[in-house]
Amino acid sequence: MKFQIILGVFLFTYFTTFGQIKHGLRDAQGRHVIPRGFVVNTNDHKGEVFFNSDDYARMVRMGANFQVIRLELGKLSHFPGGKLDPTYLNKLDNLVALGRNHGIKTIFKMTVYGVDKFIWEEFWQNKKNEYETYIDAWKVIWNRYSEESSVLGYDVVNEPRKLTMDISYEKLTNKYLIPLYQKIIDESQKINADKMTLFQSIFMNKGEKIDNNQYSEITAPIKRKNIIFAPHIYQNDINYIKRNMDRFDKESDMLNAPILIGEWGFPTFATTDTIIDGKLGQLKYRELYIRTAEVFDRMGVGSIKAWFLGNRTMQHFLPGGPSTWSIFSDSTDAGTVERKYITDVISRPFPQVIAGDIQSFLFNHATRNLDIKLKPDNSKGASKIFIGANRHYPDGFSVLIGNHSVLYYNPLKNVGLEIYKLAKGIDPTNFIWDSNTQKLIVLKWPESKDEIELKIVPGLRNFE
């Protein structure tokens, strides 16, 4: 399935006329898509990581419709210590296939791991044709997946650094980073013009945050098509979340590119797994993640959480002690024991794919209500709404369509959706509950030229 970005006149005409969210993507059928999923690592500090079909089924039941596979430069390039590894390519093929078989689209992200030494200061100077060597590594991936419809695109430079260079972040961005992006995009589009290029800003040195944001601002356009702004946000101060995202939103307008948050979620500490209260306690983390999720949902941005991993190792670079981005706490590569104080927020209900235009959506963690406003277009096919009833609605849920129609799901019966009341002209067989994927599938919306308000609420026949 090919994707296109809502850009230019099309974006702003619809945004003005209908008020639709501006950061979603469109698939080949023209449906509005909100990407959500996880970073999938091919290794960790203990060695290689392997996944199977059950892991991907679990991913789907946590709301994933996208994965970001983290590439190792050392297994794709001829940088010192690097070598193209055919076995590694087969491993990537398997991850893409696992995603495709579970309805998950793939984005590849290049990291500089696996080479003897990667020196950013030397890379930017390009005295040994480092750019060409780097792009050659990407060409392996571009050529291999140019015809793979489940691969959306490529996040081409992960967390680029300034380090000891005597240069401002703005000048580094304008003189080196943006021209490199333009060169990479041009080379990529010679091979797979319909794929998307994702890009990030400079990851600033320690102690040089602006508004508690570690990522520098992009102030000049890239001037290329099929691009997505993929900033990271690891904000640990609730007061700065919206401010940081508002800055990204401003950059997005200037870049003429929608936002897909490439990584998010402040790492959790070993201590957090064992305590409820306090600065590092689970209640604090839950609130932090909820406030971040609310900002994402109100903006309509997609988001990718690091990492879909077990917890074989922890890092120790923060003052709170050993920490990790892994969402599972068991000591295996692919875990199953969720850190539920964050995963219940990550796996919140949302509209995944809508035949029409999403005007707005928001999941209220206090009431467990999902509110969606949309303008339907049945010519574009079926819609899918992730509900996650197994974690969010063990008491059952009701589907409210406007003011006059209510369907509900009783987990004690497990017979699909039942009817409480229906407005004239609504066919209940168009609304299907898929318990395996935890999704509500809408084959056809009620015929309407007006906006539809859809609500998912806890309990049976709950329409008060």
Side-chain angles (χ1 to χ4, degrees):
M1 185 182 295
K2 296 181 180 179
F3 280 76
Q4 61 182 4
I5 301 174
I6 314 167
L7 290 175
V9 175
F10 180 80
L11 164 63
F12 294 111
T13 299
Y14 273 73
F15 185 75
T16 302
T17 305
F18 301 127
Q20 75 174 38
I21 58 172
K22 65 179 181 179
H23 292 294
L25 306 183
R26 296 278 175 174
D27 65 14
Q29 296 170 242
R31 297 180 299 180
H32 217 156
V33 178
I34 304 299
R36 200 177 283 177
F38 302 95
V39 175
V40 173
N41 300 33
T42 57
N43 71 346
D44 63 12
H45 288 95
K46 284 283 188 179
E48 287 200 72
V49 172
F50 296 94
F51 298 96
N52 59 33
S53 184
D54 286 349
D55 298 317
Y56 276 75
R58 186 175 297 108
M59 205 182 294
V60 168
R61 288 167 66 87
M62 296 179 75
N65 55 348
F66 277 75
Q67 65 171 337
V68 172
I69 300 175
R70 201 172 74 159
L71 298 173
E72 301 171 53
L73 185 62
K75 293 184 177 180
L76 295 168
S77 78
H78 296 290
F79 280 99
K83 182 181 179 181
L84 182 59
D85 183 349
T87 303
Y88 184 68
L89 296 177
N90 292 335
K91 184 175 185 177
L92 298 179
D93 290 346
N94 183 57
L95 293 173
V96 170
L98 284 168
R100 181 180 62 246
N101 293 341
H102 286 84
I104 292 174
K105 302 297 179 183
T106 294
I107 295 168
F108 286 107
K109 182 208 300 270
M110 186 70 79
T111 72
V112 297
Y113 300 123
V115 299
D116 286 346
K117 186 182 293 185
F118 191 92
I119 302 172
W120 284 103
E121 296 92 332
E122 294 180 2
F123 178 73
W124 296 125
Q125 298 301 322
N126 195 32
K127 291 180 179 179
K128 297 179 181 179
N129 294 317
E130 286 91 345
Y131 290 1
E132 294 300 326
T133 305
Y134 189 84
I135 290 173
D136 283 345
W138 265 121
K139 285 181 179 178
V140 174
I141 300 298
W142 297 337
N143 283 303
R144 197 171 186 88
Y145 299 105
S146 62
E147 300 300 321
E148 175 54 68
S149 60
S150 69
V151 173
L152 173 73
Y154 316 104
D155 195 342
V156 291
V157 183
N158 185 56
E159 296 189 335
R161 303 298 301 272
K162 174 171 83 88
L163 299 177
T164 62
M165 285 184 72
D166 185 17
I167 190 173
S168 69
Y169 288 108
E170 183 174 20
K171 188 172 182 180
L172 177 62
T173 300
N174 295 342
K175 184 177 180 180
Y176 295 102
L177 183 61
I178 289 178
L180 175 61
Y181 281 151
Q182 291 170 332
K183 184 176 180 64
I184 292 174
I185 293 167
D186 292 343
E187 291 300 313
S188 174
Q189 292 187 348
K190 290 176 184 177
I191 297 171
N192 37 208
D194 61 333
K195 302 295 188 188
M196 304 301 159
T197 299
L198 288 75
F199 61 93
Q200 306 174 29
S201 53
I202 300 291
F203 181 65
M204 294 189 290
N205 294 340
K206 189 174 182 179
E208 296 182 345
K209 295 180 180 180
I210 299 175
D211 277 348
N212 208 43
N213 188 344
Q214 199 72 52
Y215 300 89
S216 64
E217 185 174 357
I218 300 177
T219 58
I222 294 177
K223 299 179 180 179
R224 293 295 188 272
K225 296 179 179 179
N226 290 349
I227 59 175
I228 298 173
F229 183 33
H232 297 178
I233 180 167
Y234 288 113
Q235 183 56 257
N236 66 334
D237 188 328
I238 288 175
N239 298 314
Y240 286 100
I241 297 167
K242 187 176 186 304
R243 188 184 304 183
N244 290 172
M245 289 301 298
D246 285 346
R247 198 202 82 186
F248 291 152
D249 196 43
K250 183 181 72 171
E251 289 173 85
S252 168
D253 288 340
M254 181 273 299
L255 291 160
N256 200 24
I259 294 172
L260 167 57
I261 299 298
E263 292 180 16
W264 76 281
F266 197 72
T268 59
F269 293 86
T271 305
T272 311
D273 289 337
T274 65
I275 61 173
I276 295 295
D277 298 312
K279 184 177 180 181
L280 302 181
Q282 294 179 18
L283 293 179
K284 190 73 173 180
Y285 267 85
R286 181 168 172 79
E287 182 184 13
L288 175 65
Y289 273 56
I290 285 173
R291 298 308 172 206
T292 305
E294 287 176 344
V295 175
F296 288 171
D297 289 1
R298 291 185 189 279
M299 289 180 64
V301 301
S303 56
I304 306 296
K305 178 68 181 76
W307 297 317
F308 197 81
L309 280 183
N311 206 163
R312 295 197 293 192
T313 63
M314 284 198 171
Q315 301 186 44
H316 201 158
F317 62 94
L318 293 168
S323 63
T324 182
W325 284 280
S326 299
I327 67 168
F328 301 109
S329 63
D330 38 351
S331 56
T332 57
D333 52 352
T336 61
V337 182
E338 295 183 24
R339 290 186 161 96
K340 284 186 68 65
Y341 54 91
I342 61 171
T343 54
D344 280 354
V345 181
I346 297 164
S347 305
R348 66 198 180 280
F350 75 109
Q352 281 192 343
V353 182
I354 295 296
D357 306 315
I358 304 172
Q359 312 297 297
S360 65
F361 69 93
L362 180 68
F363 178 68
N364 186 310
H365 291 264
T367 64
R368 290 184 288 149
N369 288 357
L370 172 64
D371 291 274
I372 304 171
K373 294 182 180 180
L374 62 96
K375 187 172 178 62
D377 184 348
N378 288 318
S379 68
K380 291 181 169 60
S383 301
K384 297 179 181 180
I385 298 162
F386 175 72
I387 292 180
N390 57 340
R391 70 178 68 234
H392 293 291
Y393 303 105
D395 41 0
F397 64 86
S398 297
V399 181
L400 284 59
I401 312 160
N403 295 320
H404 305 292
S405 299
V406 180
L407 303 171
Y408 64 94
Y409 172 71
N410 186 341
L412 299 179
K413 292 183 179 179
N414 194 27
V415 294
L417 295 177
E418 300 182 73
I419 301 170
Y420 181 73
K421 63 176 183 176
L422 280 181
K424 183 178 179 181
I426 294 183
D427 183 352
T429 64
N430 284 324
F431 294 81
I432 301 169
W433 170 241
D434 185 343
S435 61
N436 288 330
T437 63
Q438 295 288 293
K439 295 175 187 177
L440 172 66
I441 299 172
V442 181
L443 301 178
K444 186 177 181 181
W445 294 106
E447 293 295 342
S448 174
K449 294 182 180 180
D450 300 322
E451 183 179 271
I452 290 176
E453 292 190 15
L454 182 77
K455 292 180 181 290
I456 310 296
V457 299
L460 310 183
R461 308 179 301 278
N462 185 348
F463 60 95
E464 297 297 328

